[in-house]
Amino acid sequence: MEEAHWRTVELTINGFTYPARYTEENIKELFVPFLRRLTALRKRAGRRIIAFVAAPPAVGKSTLVAFLEKFSRECEELHPIQAIGLDGFHYHSDYLKNHTVERDGKPVLMQSVKGCPETFDVRHFTEKLRELKRSDTLWPVYDRKQHDVREDALRVTGDIILIEGNWLLLEDAPWKAARELADATLFLRADAKNLKERLIGRKMKGGATRESATAFYEAIDGPNVERVLRDSVAAEETWTMLADGSFQKYGGARDDRQGVRADGIGRRLG
């Protein structure tokens, strides 16, 4: 097999700078065709286009959409996109500390399961999408320094808007109205075992011990990964993230050999 050639870039996301690396093959065969389709869709529609990019935690969706935004602005044949996120629609911390959600038949504080779909204000998100369909708008962002939402923090003015989030394709009823406002959808899938190590490693980089990071995964991140993979509806296009962080179009011949899960989202995408 020919060795992959990687491109590394520095991206600024929510005030933090992250290194990102993608294969030249992915850029040429997945990213560019996807952006061309959005460009063509915008031209045919003659209006603003909204595209959803959904994925489990740790697949790198925030970094990917930031790269796609940067790339689209540097390529003359593409219409520039603007990348934004779902995380600004978390309920505020005060709300999470004073409201509960049911887990295993018992009420638990939303704060203790922050990040699950019930801790997002889906109605507010849907209203913002409808507003975005009509005009430019101000968008909330999640401040990772304050660990809370900042309302009206970002002005959205692009003609092609790429929105990333875990729950954008969730089949549950509250998310259906939002999903119906998307003009295009992309799902990023991965082996849950690979995501476990990435998520535990992420916590440990933040100062957690291996034991506490694993406990957090079992309580919060793991169930969220499984729920996204199991309960997301089919997207128009799906990419599989492999163990090395590269992507391939779902259904490719290497899926089984790379140990990518064949249940959950795979059944829905058939």
Side-chain angles (χ1 to χ4, degrees):
M1 183 181 298
E2 185 177 344
E3 183 179 353
H5 296 281
W6 295 82
R7 183 186 303 188
T8 301
V9 295
E10 295 286 329
L11 299 170
T12 300
I13 305 169
N14 295 329
F16 294 91
T17 300
Y18 300 91
R21 58 195 294 267
Y22 300 105
T23 68
E24 295 293 344
E25 180 185 18
N26 279 174
I27 293 170
K28 178 181 178 182
E29 298 183 4
L30 288 180
F31 301 176
V32 170
F34 176 66
L35 292 172
R36 282 175 177 161
R37 283 192 289 277
L38 294 183
T39 294
L41 181 59
R42 165 69 179 83
K43 185 175 181 180
R44 289 197 305 272
R47 58 169 175 80
R48 171 173 284 150
I49 295 301
I50 297 174
F52 282 0
V53 179
V59 171
K61 57 193 175 300
S62 300
T63 306
L64 176 62
V65 298
F67 177 78
L68 293 176
E69 178 183 80
K70 176 180 173 63
F71 188 88
S72 73
R73 295 177 184 276
E74 296 173 349
C75 186
E76 291 185 1
E77 71 170 291
L78 299 172
H79 197 101
I81 69 168
Q82 184 174 4
I84 55 179
L86 173 66
D87 279 356
F89 294 91
H90 272 98
Y91 286 112
H92 284 266
S93 289
D94 288 346
Y95 185 96
L96 297 176
K97 292 174 182 176
N98 291 284
H99 290 78
T100 62
V101 61
E102 188 173 301
R103 284 292 180 272
D104 299 322
K106 298 178 181 179
V108 299
L109 281 177
M110 284 187 171
Q111 182 68 27
S112 68
V113 291
K114 187 176 181 179
C116 75
E118 290 80 10
T119 63
F120 286 82
D121 189 344
V122 191
R123 179 176 295 182
H124 183 34
F125 176 56
T126 306
E127 289 171 352
K128 274 292 184 182
L129 289 176
R130 292 195 178 107
E131 185 178 331
L132 194 54
K133 285 280 190 176
R134 299 190 301 269
S135 63
D136 295 349
T137 189
L138 293 173
W139 198 259
V141 301
Y142 187 81
D143 190 319
R144 298 195 178 279
K145 295 178 181 178
Q146 300 179 11
H147 300 288
D148 207 350
V149 173
R150 288 192 292 119
E151 297 290 345
D152 298 339
L154 176 67
R155 179 167 292 278
V156 184
T157 61
D159 292 329
I160 301 176
I161 308 299
L162 212 52
I163 305 177
E164 57 84 12
N166 298 138
W167 310 110
L168 294 173
L169 297 180
L170 197 66
E171 65 180 353
D172 294 0
W175 296 88
K176 183 180 179 182
R179 188 169 65 248
E180 290 176 343
L181 294 170
D183 299 290
T185 55
L186 171 66
F187 190 84
L188 310 175
R189 68 196 291 276
D191 189 320
K193 296 190 295 295
N194 292 338
L195 297 180
K196 178 178 180 178
E197 290 308 310
R198 290 167 71 99
L199 286 161
I200 290 174
R202 180 190 293 180
K203 280 290 180 183
M204 292 175 67
K205 285 181 180 178
T209 65
R210 176 83 187 188
E211 182 180 15
S212 63
T214 300
F216 186 87
Y217 176 85
E218 298 296 341
I220 306 295
D221 282 338
N224 284 343
V225 166
E226 292 295 337
R227 191 168 178 184
V228 174
L229 290 171
R230 183 187 66 236
D231 296 340
S232 294
V233 301
E236 293 173 349
E237 185 171 345
T238 298
W239 302 344
T240 297
M241 187 187 76
L242 305 177
D244 64 359
S246 66
F247 292 96
Q248 69 177 46
K249 203 159 188 177
Y250 177 69
R254 290 189 294 158
D255 273 351
D256 291 338
R257 294 206 302 272
Q258 294 291 338
V260 176
R261 58 181 293 144
D263 57 349
I265 189 70
R267 285 201 303 270
R268 297 182 182 283
L269 298 172

